[in-house]
Amino acid sequence: MKSSKFKVPQGKKVKLSDYRTDDTGDIESKKDASKLLKANTKKMAELQDRLYAHDRYGLLMVFQAMDAAGKDSTIKHVMSGLNPQGTQVFSFKQPSAEELDHGYLWRIAKAVPERGRIGIFNRSHYEDVLVVRVHDLVKFQKIPDKFDNDGIWKERFNQIKNFETYLYENGIITIKFFLHISKDEQRKRFLRRLDIPSKNWKFSEADLKEREHWEDYQKCYEEAISATSTDYAPWYIIPADKKWFARVVVSNVIIDTLQSLKLMYPELDGNQKRNIHAYREQLMKE
Ligand code: AMP
Ligand code: MG
């Protein structure tokens, strides 16, 4: 299955209701999906090894979604076969007092992966045009009055695009995943959290309150995705009602992205290459 099917082309005006949440493509069962994911995991590990050795690019994956869409479990499953040494995960919560004393990209910039690494953002700078917009939290962000006006979201989309351009031109490739679930699927998952004792801890009354803002969030997501999906830092809208399908698609996107970078193992320099024979002899003699 082509991962480009889920990519949002630059300039496209997204309407989320046009995107299916329950698509399972040409995969027939959970069992088939897990086989595909296993094969993909092997490919990702190989590509990660090259990324590390090549040491020119880093990969930044941003995960955004409504509550209970499966960010955590997708991250867990998709990353399970990678070398922990080359990966890092950051989760972004309500900003601290220190973070609020800086621009919203400050904490983000500090968490960007270095070259050779794969970095994952569980939530991200996009919260600053989503939850902050839905709940009118800008007033806590200490923005000078003259910039705190209705135009701020458009400005933030531009700031984010500029930031991601900067990352791109410095070798950090950003890909952004929106795990797309239906409102009814969220309801089912919340109920499961209440019904199953080992899942109770995942339930939070606050999530139920957020659910009341479902339509607002969808609208903010639509605007943010439409404004910031670019050729160099694209958004992917991943049908996520079936977690097993979402995982396969995400892993496909990662593989396609890494393959497009033409990562090569560095070669030995000429002098060392000429001496390979001598080095080997030296070791064999021991
Ligand atoms: P969770 O991911 O369930 O641990 O929840 C983290 C919470 O932090 C979510 O409700 C996010 O919306 C919230 N959050 C993340 N970033 C920001 C931000 N920049 N401003 C306000 N709330 C945020
Ligand atoms: Mg939560």
Side-chain angles (χ1 to χ4, degrees):
M1 170 199 356
K2 277 217 189 105
S3 64
S4 58
K5 179 177 165 200
F6 303 97
K7 189 193 231 172
V8 177
Q10 186 167 323
K12 161 114 188 160
K13 253 191 102 36
V14 168
K15 201 162 174 297
L16 281 173
S17 56
D18 293 343
Y19 290 76
R20 277 179 64 183
T21 55
D22 60 351
D23 189 11
T24 55
D26 46 11
I27 305 177
E28 284 180 5
S29 66
K30 191 170 173 176
K31 208 164 140 225
D32 290 348
S34 87
K35 272 191 221 148
L36 287 168
L37 185 59
K38 207 164 156 215
N40 276 356
T41 304
K42 240 177 107 187
K43 277 190 218 161
M44 277 191 284
E46 206 265 325
L47 286 159
Q48 180 194 20
D49 199 52
R50 280 174 184 267
L51 180 79
Y52 191 84
H54 186 74
D55 204 20
R56 288 293 176 276
Y57 292 108
L59 180 67
L60 171 61
M61 285 181 260
V62 167
F63 285 88
Q64 285 288 159
M66 300 299 285
D67 291 311
K71 292 196 303 301
D72 299 70
S73 72
T74 305
I75 291 170
K76 179 169 110 183
H77 276 86
V78 171
M79 297 304 133
S80 63
L82 298 182
N83 179 354
Q85 198 139 250
T87 52
Q88 52 208 34
V89 183
F90 285 91
S91 299
F92 293 97
K93 315 271 180 192
Q94 284 93 344
S96 66
E98 187 191 21
E99 286 165 351
L100 286 173
D101 261 339
H102 295 267
Y104 66 96
L105 290 174
W106 179 70
R107 64 176 184 167
I108 303 298
K110 285 200 298 182
V112 167
E114 56 259 59
R115 294 192 180 84
R117 306 285 170 111
I118 295 180
I120 294 153
F121 284 180
N122 185 342
R123 304 187 188 273
S124 65
H125 42 307
Y126 285 95
E127 291 291 324
D128 288 280
V129 291
L130 295 164
V131 66
V132 172
R133 189 173 186 185
V134 169
H135 291 291
D136 193 19
L137 303 177
V138 179
K139 55 180 178 287
F140 303 114
Q141 295 195 326
K142 302 190 189 180
I143 307 292
D145 283 345
K146 65 174 171 183
F147 297 118
D148 182 359
N149 54 43
D150 291 347
I152 194 168
W153 312 113
K154 206 166 155 236
E155 288 311 323
R156 285 194 172 185
F157 296 149
N158 282 333
Q159 290 157 6
I160 289 172
K161 272 204 290 195
N162 288 337
F163 175 65
E164 290 172 358
T165 305
Y166 158 81
L167 293 181
Y168 176 70
E169 291 177 356
N170 283 277
I172 307 302
I173 309 299
T174 308
I175 44 181
K176 302 168 295 202
F177 297 105
F178 174 64
L179 304 184
H180 187 30
I181 55 165
S182 68
K183 196 174 179 191
D184 194 49
E185 181 61 25
Q186 188 193 55
R187 188 180 68 89
K188 286 186 194 144
R189 290 185 191 179
F190 281 170
L191 280 172
R192 219 170 301 144
R193 290 178 177 186
L194 293 171
D195 292 344
I196 304 173
S198 67
K199 287 191 188 279
N200 280 171
W201 66 275
K202 286 192 184 176
F203 182 80
S204 115
E205 201 187 324
D207 290 353
L208 218 48
K209 280 225 90 55
E210 286 308 274
R211 181 173 163 81
E212 293 173 16
H213 300 282
W214 182 276
E215 297 308 327
D216 279 352
Y217 270 108
Q218 299 285 303
K219 212 177 135 273
C220 290
Y221 266 110
E222 285 173 349
E223 276 192 34
I225 293 172
S226 304
T228 62
S229 197
T230 56
D231 296 336
Y232 54 85
W235 274 101
Y236 291 86
I237 297 176
I238 311 290
D241 279 356
K242 293 276 179 280
K243 287 187 173 189
W244 47 266
F245 183 68
R247 288 169 196 158
V248 174
V249 178
V250 168
S251 63
N252 277 347
V253 172
I254 298 169
I255 289 169
D256 289 348
T257 305
L258 288 173
Q259 276 175 344
S260 74
L261 298 177
K262 314 242 176 298
L263 304 164
M264 287 164 305
Y265 288 109
E267 291 196 8
L268 290 177
D269 65 35
N271 197 29
Q272 290 191 68
K273 233 176 176 171
R274 274 189 294 282
N275 286 327
I276 275 189
H277 186 66
Y279 299 144
R280 192 178 287 121
E281 293 239 302
Q282 191 182 331
L283 286 166
M284 298 294 280
K285 266 195 272 172
E286 279 181 16

